[in-house]
Short mmCIF file of all heavy atoms in Angstrom, two decimals:
data_model
loop_
_atom_site.label_atom_id
_atom_site.label_comp_id
_atom_site.label_asym_id
_atom_site.label_seq_id
_atom_site.Cartn_x
_atom_site.Cartn_y
_atom_site.Cartn_z
N VAL Q 1 -18.89 57.46 215.29
CA VAL Q 1 -19.56 56.22 215.70
C VAL Q 1 -19.52 55.14 214.63
O VAL Q 1 -20.06 54.04 214.85
CB VAL Q 1 -21.02 56.52 216.10
CG1 VAL Q 1 -21.06 57.41 217.34
CG2 VAL Q 1 -21.79 57.14 214.94
N GLY Q 2 -18.90 55.42 213.51
CA GLY Q 2 -18.85 54.39 212.47
C GLY Q 2 -18.25 54.92 211.18
O GLY Q 2 -17.90 56.10 211.06
N GLU Q 3 -18.11 54.02 210.22
CA GLU Q 3 -17.56 54.37 208.91
C GLU Q 3 -18.47 53.79 207.84
O GLU Q 3 -18.92 52.65 207.95
CB GLU Q 3 -16.14 53.82 208.77
CG GLU Q 3 -15.48 54.20 207.44
CD GLU Q 3 -14.02 53.79 207.41
OE1 GLU Q 3 -13.21 54.38 208.16
OE2 GLU Q 3 -13.70 52.86 206.62
N VAL Q 4 -18.76 54.58 206.81
CA VAL Q 4 -19.71 54.17 205.77
C VAL Q 4 -19.03 54.25 204.40
O VAL Q 4 -18.62 55.33 203.97
CB VAL Q 4 -20.96 55.09 205.76
CG1 VAL Q 4 -22.07 54.44 204.95
CG2 VAL Q 4 -21.43 55.42 207.16
N GLY Q 5 -18.91 53.11 203.75
CA GLY Q 5 -18.35 53.08 202.39
C GLY Q 5 -19.42 52.78 201.36
O GLY Q 5 -20.50 52.27 201.69
N ALA Q 6 -19.15 53.08 200.10
CA ALA Q 6 -20.10 52.75 199.04
C ALA Q 6 -20.32 51.25 199.00
O ALA Q 6 -19.37 50.47 198.97
CB ALA Q 6 -19.56 53.25 197.70
N GLY Q 7 -21.57 50.84 199.05
CA GLY Q 7 -21.90 49.43 199.07
C GLY Q 7 -21.88 48.81 200.45
O GLY Q 7 -22.15 47.62 200.60
N HIS Q 8 -21.56 49.62 201.46
CA HIS Q 8 -21.50 49.12 202.83
C HIS Q 8 -22.25 50.08 203.76
O HIS Q 8 -21.65 50.88 204.48
CB HIS Q 8 -20.05 48.97 203.29
CG HIS Q 8 -19.25 48.04 202.44
ND1 HIS Q 8 -19.31 46.67 202.58
CD2 HIS Q 8 -18.38 48.29 201.42
CE1 HIS Q 8 -18.50 46.11 201.69
NE2 HIS Q 8 -17.93 47.07 200.98
N PRO Q 9 -23.58 50.03 203.74
CA PRO Q 9 -24.38 50.94 204.56
C PRO Q 9 -24.09 50.78 206.06
O PRO Q 9 -23.68 49.71 206.52
CB PRO Q 9 -25.82 50.55 204.23
CG PRO Q 9 -25.73 49.84 202.91
CD PRO Q 9 -24.40 49.13 202.93
N PHE Q 10 -24.32 51.85 206.81
CA PHE Q 10 -24.13 51.86 208.26
C PHE Q 10 -25.43 51.42 208.92
O PHE Q 10 -26.50 51.96 208.64
CB PHE Q 10 -23.76 53.28 208.69
CG PHE Q 10 -23.50 53.43 210.16
CD1 PHE Q 10 -22.53 52.68 210.81
CD2 PHE Q 10 -24.21 54.36 210.92
CE1 PHE Q 10 -22.28 52.83 212.15
CE2 PHE Q 10 -23.97 54.52 212.27
CZ PHE Q 10 -23.00 53.76 212.89
N SER Q 11 -25.34 50.42 209.77
CA SER Q 11 -26.54 49.85 210.38
C SER Q 11 -27.04 50.67 211.57
O SER Q 11 -28.19 50.53 211.98
CB SER Q 11 -26.29 48.41 210.84
OG SER Q 11 -25.21 48.36 211.77
N GLY Q 12 -26.17 51.53 212.12
CA GLY Q 12 -26.57 52.31 213.27
C GLY Q 12 -27.22 53.63 212.90
O GLY Q 12 -27.62 53.87 211.76
N THR Q 13 -27.25 54.52 213.90
CA THR Q 13 -27.86 55.84 213.74
C THR Q 13 -26.90 56.90 214.25
O THR Q 13 -26.22 56.69 215.26
CB THR Q 13 -29.19 55.94 214.50
OG1 THR Q 13 -30.11 54.97 213.98
CG2 THR Q 13 -29.81 57.32 214.36
N VAL Q 14 -26.81 58.02 213.53
CA VAL Q 14 -25.99 59.14 214.00
C VAL Q 14 -26.88 60.00 214.91
O VAL Q 14 -27.86 60.58 214.46
CB VAL Q 14 -25.46 59.97 212.81
CG1 VAL Q 14 -24.75 61.22 213.32
CG2 VAL Q 14 -24.54 59.13 211.94
N GLY Q 15 -26.51 60.01 216.19
CA GLY Q 15 -27.30 60.75 217.15
C GLY Q 15 -26.70 62.12 217.46
O GLY Q 15 -25.73 62.56 216.84
N GLU Q 16 -27.24 62.76 218.45
CA GLU Q 16 -26.77 64.09 218.85
C GLU Q 16 -25.31 64.01 219.29
O GLU Q 16 -24.91 63.12 220.04
CB GLU Q 16 -27.63 64.61 220.01
CG GLU Q 16 -27.27 66.02 220.44
CD GLU Q 16 -28.18 66.53 221.54
OE1 GLU Q 16 -29.14 65.82 221.90
OE2 GLU Q 16 -27.94 67.65 222.03
N GLY Q 17 -24.47 64.92 218.74
CA GLY Q 17 -23.06 64.96 219.10
C GLY Q 17 -22.23 63.89 218.43
O GLY Q 17 -21.09 63.66 218.84
N GLU Q 18 -22.78 63.25 217.40
CA GLU Q 18 -22.07 62.15 216.76
C GLU Q 18 -21.84 62.43 215.27
O GLU Q 18 -22.49 63.29 214.66
CB GLU Q 18 -22.85 60.84 216.92
CG GLU Q 18 -22.98 60.39 218.37
CD GLU Q 18 -23.79 59.12 218.52
OE1 GLU Q 18 -24.61 58.83 217.62
OE2 GLU Q 18 -23.62 58.42 219.54
N ALA Q 19 -20.92 61.64 214.69
CA ALA Q 19 -20.62 61.73 213.25
C ALA Q 19 -20.22 60.36 212.76
O ALA Q 19 -19.83 59.48 213.55
CB ALA Q 19 -19.49 62.73 212.99
N ALA Q 20 -20.32 60.17 211.45
CA ALA Q 20 -19.85 58.92 210.82
C ALA Q 20 -18.95 59.29 209.66
O ALA Q 20 -19.26 60.17 208.86
CB ALA Q 20 -21.03 58.09 210.34
N ARG Q 21 -17.79 58.63 209.60
CA ARG Q 21 -16.91 58.83 208.45
C ARG Q 21 -17.63 58.27 207.22
O ARG Q 21 -18.16 57.16 207.25
CB ARG Q 21 -15.61 58.08 208.69
CG ARG Q 21 -14.58 58.21 207.55
CD ARG Q 21 -13.92 59.56 207.58
NE ARG Q 21 -12.73 59.59 206.73
CZ ARG Q 21 -12.65 60.25 205.58
NH1 ARG Q 21 -13.69 60.93 205.13
NH2 ARG Q 21 -11.52 60.24 204.90
N ILE Q 22 -17.64 59.01 206.12
CA ILE Q 22 -18.41 58.58 204.95
C ILE Q 22 -17.61 58.86 203.69
O ILE Q 22 -16.79 59.79 203.64
CB ILE Q 22 -19.79 59.28 204.91
CG1 ILE Q 22 -20.73 58.55 203.94
CG2 ILE Q 22 -19.66 60.76 204.55
CD1 ILE Q 22 -22.19 58.98 204.07
N PHE Q 23 -17.86 58.03 202.67
CA PHE Q 23 -17.16 58.17 201.41
C PHE Q 23 -18.16 58.37 200.26
O PHE Q 23 -19.34 58.02 200.38
CB PHE Q 23 -16.28 56.95 201.17
CG PHE Q 23 -15.21 56.77 202.20
CD1 PHE Q 23 -15.44 55.99 203.33
CD2 PHE Q 23 -13.99 57.43 202.08
CE1 PHE Q 23 -14.46 55.85 204.31
CE2 PHE Q 23 -13.00 57.29 203.05
CZ PHE Q 23 -13.25 56.51 204.18
N THR Q 24 -17.68 58.91 199.19
CA THR Q 24 -18.53 59.25 198.05
C THR Q 24 -19.33 58.03 197.59
O THR Q 24 -18.78 56.94 197.39
CB THR Q 24 -17.69 59.78 196.88
OG1 THR Q 24 -16.94 60.91 197.31
CG2 THR Q 24 -18.56 60.16 195.70
N GLY Q 25 -20.65 58.22 197.41
CA GLY Q 25 -21.52 57.16 196.94
C GLY Q 25 -22.11 56.31 198.03
O GLY Q 25 -23.00 55.50 197.77
N ALA Q 26 -21.65 56.50 199.28
CA ALA Q 26 -22.18 55.72 200.40
C ALA Q 26 -23.53 56.26 200.85
O ALA Q 26 -23.79 57.47 200.77
CB ALA Q 26 -21.20 55.73 201.56
N VAL Q 27 -24.38 55.37 201.34
CA VAL Q 27 -25.71 55.76 201.83
C VAL Q 27 -25.56 56.59 203.11
O VAL Q 27 -24.84 56.21 204.04
CB VAL Q 27 -26.58 54.52 202.11
CG1 VAL Q 27 -27.91 54.92 202.73
CG2 VAL Q 27 -26.80 53.74 200.82
N VAL Q 28 -26.23 57.74 203.13
CA VAL Q 28 -26.18 58.59 204.32
C VAL Q 28 -26.88 57.86 205.47
O VAL Q 28 -28.03 57.44 205.33
CB VAL Q 28 -26.87 59.94 204.05
CG1 VAL Q 28 -26.90 60.79 205.31
CG2 VAL Q 28 -26.16 60.67 202.90
N PRO Q 29 -26.22 57.68 206.61
CA PRO Q 29 -26.83 56.91 207.72
C PRO Q 29 -28.02 57.63 208.34
O PRO Q 29 -28.15 58.86 208.26
CB PRO Q 29 -25.67 56.78 208.71
CG PRO Q 29 -24.75 57.90 208.39
CD PRO Q 29 -24.87 58.13 206.93
N ALA Q 30 -28.87 56.85 208.92
CA ALA Q 30 -30.03 57.41 209.61
C ALA Q 30 -29.56 58.40 210.67
O ALA Q 30 -28.54 58.22 211.32
CB ALA Q 30 -30.85 56.29 210.26
N GLY Q 31 -30.31 59.49 210.83
CA GLY Q 31 -29.99 60.50 211.82
C GLY Q 31 -29.19 61.66 211.26
O GLY Q 31 -29.35 62.80 211.68
N ALA Q 32 -28.32 61.38 210.28
CA ALA Q 32 -27.50 62.45 209.68
C ALA Q 32 -28.31 63.15 208.59
O ALA Q 32 -29.12 62.54 207.90
CB ALA Q 32 -26.23 61.87 209.08
N ASP Q 33 -28.08 64.45 208.44
CA ASP Q 33 -28.80 65.20 207.41
C ASP Q 33 -27.87 66.10 206.58
O ASP Q 33 -28.33 66.88 205.75
CB ASP Q 33 -29.92 66.04 208.02
CG ASP Q 33 -29.43 67.05 209.04
OD1 ASP Q 33 -28.20 67.25 209.17
OD2 ASP Q 33 -30.27 67.65 209.73
N THR Q 34 -26.57 65.96 206.76
CA THR Q 34 -25.62 66.73 205.95
C THR Q 34 -24.28 66.01 205.94
O THR Q 34 -24.00 65.19 206.82
CB THR Q 34 -25.48 68.17 206.47
OG1 THR Q 34 -24.77 68.95 205.53
CG2 THR Q 34 -24.72 68.19 207.79
N VAL Q 35 -23.46 66.34 204.94
CA VAL Q 35 -22.11 65.79 204.86
C VAL Q 35 -21.13 66.94 204.79
O VAL Q 35 -21.24 67.83 203.94
CB VAL Q 35 -21.95 64.88 203.62
CG1 VAL Q 35 -20.48 64.48 203.44
CG2 VAL Q 35 -22.83 63.63 203.76
N VAL Q 36 -20.16 66.91 205.70
CA VAL Q 36 -19.10 67.92 205.73
C VAL Q 36 -17.89 67.34 205.01
O VAL Q 36 -17.45 66.23 205.33
CB VAL Q 36 -18.74 68.29 207.18
CG1 VAL Q 36 -17.56 69.26 207.20
CG2 VAL Q 36 -19.95 68.88 207.89
N VAL Q 37 -17.36 68.06 204.04
CA VAL Q 37 -16.21 67.54 203.29
C VAL Q 37 -15.01 67.43 204.24
O VAL Q 37 -14.86 68.21 205.19
CB VAL Q 37 -15.88 68.44 202.09
CG1 VAL Q 37 -17.03 68.44 201.09
CG2 VAL Q 37 -15.55 69.86 202.51
N GLN Q 38 -14.16 66.46 203.97
CA GLN Q 38 -13.06 66.17 204.88
C GLN Q 38 -12.08 67.33 205.02
O GLN Q 38 -11.40 67.46 206.05
CB GLN Q 38 -12.34 64.90 204.44
CG GLN Q 38 -11.74 64.94 203.05
CD GLN Q 38 -11.26 63.57 202.59
OE1 GLN Q 38 -11.65 62.53 203.16
NE2 GLN Q 38 -10.40 63.55 201.60
N GLU Q 39 -12.02 68.21 203.97
CA GLU Q 39 -11.13 69.37 204.06
C GLU Q 39 -11.57 70.36 205.13
O GLU Q 39 -10.76 71.17 205.61
CB GLU Q 39 -11.05 70.08 202.71
CG GLU Q 39 -10.34 69.30 201.61
CD GLU Q 39 -11.22 68.26 200.96
OE1 GLU Q 39 -12.43 68.13 201.34
OE2 GLU Q 39 -10.73 67.57 200.06
N ASN Q 40 -12.85 70.27 205.55
CA ASN Q 40 -13.37 71.18 206.58
C ASN Q 40 -13.48 70.51 207.94
O ASN Q 40 -14.21 70.98 208.82
CB ASN Q 40 -14.74 71.72 206.17
CG ASN Q 40 -14.67 72.64 204.96
OD1 ASN Q 40 -13.62 73.25 204.70
ND2 ASN Q 40 -15.76 72.76 204.23
N ALA Q 41 -12.74 69.42 208.10
CA ALA Q 41 -12.78 68.69 209.37
C ALA Q 41 -11.38 68.27 209.77
O ALA Q 41 -10.50 68.09 208.94
CB ALA Q 41 -13.68 67.46 209.23
N THR Q 42 -11.19 68.09 211.09
CA THR Q 42 -9.90 67.65 211.62
C THR Q 42 -10.12 66.42 212.49
O THR Q 42 -10.87 66.47 213.48
CB THR Q 42 -9.25 68.76 212.46
OG1 THR Q 42 -9.12 69.94 211.66
CG2 THR Q 42 -7.88 68.33 212.95
N ARG Q 43 -9.49 65.31 212.10
CA ARG Q 43 -9.66 64.06 212.83
C ARG Q 43 -8.81 64.09 214.10
O ARG Q 43 -7.66 64.52 214.09
CB ARG Q 43 -9.23 62.89 211.95
CG ARG Q 43 -9.43 61.50 212.57
CD ARG Q 43 -10.88 61.07 212.61
NE ARG Q 43 -11.07 59.75 213.16
CZ ARG Q 43 -11.37 58.66 212.47
NH1 ARG Q 43 -11.51 58.74 211.15
NH2 ARG Q 43 -11.55 57.50 213.06
N ASP Q 44 -9.42 63.62 215.22
CA ASP Q 44 -8.72 63.57 216.51
C ASP Q 44 -9.09 62.24 217.18
O ASP Q 44 -9.98 62.18 218.03
CB ASP Q 44 -9.13 64.75 217.38
CG ASP Q 44 -8.40 64.76 218.73
OD1 ASP Q 44 -7.38 64.04 218.86
OD2 ASP Q 44 -8.87 65.47 219.64
N GLY Q 45 -8.41 61.14 216.74
CA GLY Q 45 -8.70 59.83 217.32
C GLY Q 45 -10.11 59.40 216.98
O GLY Q 45 -10.49 59.30 215.81
N ASP Q 46 -10.90 59.16 218.04
CA ASP Q 46 -12.28 58.75 217.86
C ASP Q 46 -13.22 59.93 217.73
O ASP Q 46 -14.46 59.76 217.74
CB ASP Q 46 -12.74 57.87 219.04
CG ASP Q 46 -12.02 56.53 219.05
OD1 ASP Q 46 -11.58 56.10 217.96
OD2 ASP Q 46 -11.90 55.93 220.13
N PHE Q 47 -12.66 61.11 217.61
CA PHE Q 47 -13.47 62.32 217.48
C PHE Q 47 -13.08 63.06 216.20
O PHE Q 47 -12.03 62.82 215.60
CB PHE Q 47 -13.26 63.24 218.69
CG PHE Q 47 -13.84 62.69 219.95
CD1 PHE Q 47 -13.12 61.79 220.74
CD2 PHE Q 47 -15.12 63.07 220.38
CE1 PHE Q 47 -13.64 61.27 221.90
CE2 PHE Q 47 -15.64 62.56 221.56
CZ PHE Q 47 -14.90 61.65 222.33
N VAL Q 48 -13.94 63.96 215.77
CA VAL Q 48 -13.65 64.83 214.65
C VAL Q 48 -14.12 66.23 215.00
O VAL Q 48 -15.16 66.41 215.63
CB VAL Q 48 -14.35 64.35 213.35
CG1 VAL Q 48 -15.86 64.34 213.48
CG2 VAL Q 48 -13.92 65.20 212.15
#
C-alpha cells in the first residue's frame, strides 16, 4: 500500500492483509508492528 524511505514517513496506515515497502531508518508506518527483511520476501507486482 505504499513505500517508506528515511526522511519520508508514510501518511497512511498498514491494515489487515497489507504491507509497506520500507528502507533502513524510515519511520515504521502506523498499523505495522514488524519488519520482514527483503531476503525473506518475494515481490509480485503490487503484492509481496
Side-chain angles (χ1 to χ4, degrees):
V1 295
E3 182 173 292
V4 195
H8 300 280
F10 182 57
S11 58
T13 299
V14 174
E16 183 177 356
E18 295 178 337
R21 180 76 167 109
I22 196 167
F23 298 92
T24 302
V27 175
V28 176
D33 60 10
T34 191
V35 172
V36 176
V37 296
Q38 59 190 17
E39 291 81 1
N40 292 335
T42 304
R43 183 74 179 254
D44 181 16
D46 292 335
F47 291 84
V48 62

